[in-house]
Amino acid sequence: MRRAFIALLARDLRLAIRQGADTALTLGFFLLVATLFSFGVAPDERQAAALAPGVLWVTALLALLLSMDRLFQADAEDGALEQLMLGNLPPIGIVAAKCLAHWLATAMPLLFFSPVLALLLQLPADRLPWLILALLLGTPTLVLVGAVGAALVLGARRGGLLLSLLILPLYIPVLIFGVAAVADDNRAPLLFLGAMLLAALALAPLAAAAALRQAME
Amino acid sequence: MSRAPDSGLVVENLSCRRGGRQVFANLNTHVPAGARAHLRGPNGSGKSSLLRILAGLSPPAAGTYRFTRSDHAALPGPDLLYVGHQNAVKPWMTVAENLRFWLTYTGSDADSGEVLAAAGLTGMADLPAGYLSFGQTRRLALARIWAEPPNLVLLDEPTVGLDAAAQAHLESGLTQLCDQGVTLVIATHGDGTAAPDVTIDLGEARA
């Protein structure tokens, strides 16, 4: 079972690197939109700094949502999902492996470039560690919750659109605490982000696996 | 090979509904372990649906099915190999990477080079699978037949897209599997294949 998990993780990472579309789309969107904001928001430094956490989080969240609908779609279209379900790895394991690969391929590059954009948006340099920590705790939750939506809209026409409507409201708590964690010198929002991640880790794969089984019928 | 009376694939009163429509009803059949069954019937008679049910991918509307491997001839490979209409081949990975992934994922220790050679894909191991022709992709999808023999093999129109030579090659592979004690269920329109031990005609099982 561990062998199958690692094999699936490695395959998805390999596909992400070879194909590059998901990573490029997510990262490109994040970089471009955040840069647009840096030009669009008032030249007043203090005002810009106040807006920076919100802008960064909303951009990151939308960027991650962009490739979310493809999480199971490609495998469903070419029959790989059927074959995955017939293997020794339970559906929960399939969801977990695919989420981990997706997070590594899309959220990690975003995390890597976020300090640059934060400085561009006039976020004070001493807030950077908080931003990284908040993104590190928040983005896996976004991917896990997104996976439930991706599994639910599997096979639906305009699945991406449906997914946004379904998932964006669920992203609000992560956004609230994520922004709060960057804005204030307060540990509480980070703890909330951590708690949400633990809850998502426990529940989202279960829900997504159930949705996948449903989609197979 | 002696066959225990209740080993193999037993299907009892199986019914299938799709989109509110009865596809087939009260299907009863027994495919002894190591036998070869052909699934026949016109388009839409539920051949693919039956295979998906037998693979465990979708639940039947009613009825039961079970597969028991014969005690003295349990095969080392996986319990089940199902190859549907779709090939599950990733164009961005090489032929060998594609096969190796599925072998590793299903817990097989078979050597991918040997399996590719047996499947008639020698010399293509390092080619990105996206460059394969339709028929070659189909061959890659079917390649796992030549790894350790599984106990039950379900194939959905395996010969679609295959040329005469590849069909003959597949045929000899399937005959070999039967000799090893593998139970085969194949949905097929084609003639020119070996005579099956059991024919399941879904045209007759319509409600």
Side-chain angles (χ1 to χ4, degrees), chain B residues 8-11 27 29-32 34-40 47-48 50-52 54-55 66-67 80-84 142 145 151-158 174 177-178 182-188 196-200 202:
Chain B
L9 183 68
V10 180
V11 173
L27 181 73
T29 191
H30 175 215
V31 184
R36 171 178 182 144
H38 280 188
L39 207 51
R40 292 189 178 272
K47 297 190 293 295
S48 299
L50 176 58
L51 286 180
R52 288 178 59 83
L54 294 179
R66 62 177 184 274
F67 176 73
L80 169 78
L81 174 63
Y82 162 82
V83 182
L142 292 164
I145 288 175
N151 286 278
L152 176 63
V153 174
L154 307 171
L155 301 178
D156 200 349
E157 309 206 13
L174 293 179
L177 283 185
C178 268
V182 176
T183 312
L184 282 174
V185 182
I186 309 169
T188 175
D197 304 308
V198 181
T199 302
I200 306 166
L202 285 175

Side-chain angles (χ1 to χ4, degrees), chain A residues 34-109:
Chain A
T35 311
L36 286 182
F37 264 106
S38 78
F39 288 118
V41 168
D44 179 355
E45 236 178 72
R46 244 187 311 162
Q47 228 178 9
L51 283 175
V55 170
L56 281 168
W57 261 102
V58 172
T59 337
L61 184 151
L62 292 177
L64 281 177
L65 194 67
L66 271 184
S67 54
M68 212 62 236
D69 66 312
R70 298 293 300 162
L71 185 63
F72 301 112
Q73 194 80 44
D75 277 336
E77 279 167 6
D78 66 11
L81 193 57
E82 278 178 0
Q83 294 293 338
L84 290 175
M85 299 288 267
L86 292 177
N88 304 325
L89 195 61
I92 292 181
I94 298 172
V95 172
K98 289 193 74 71
C99 282
L100 181 55
H102 189 80
W103 184 79
L104 287 172
T106 58
M108 273 304 265

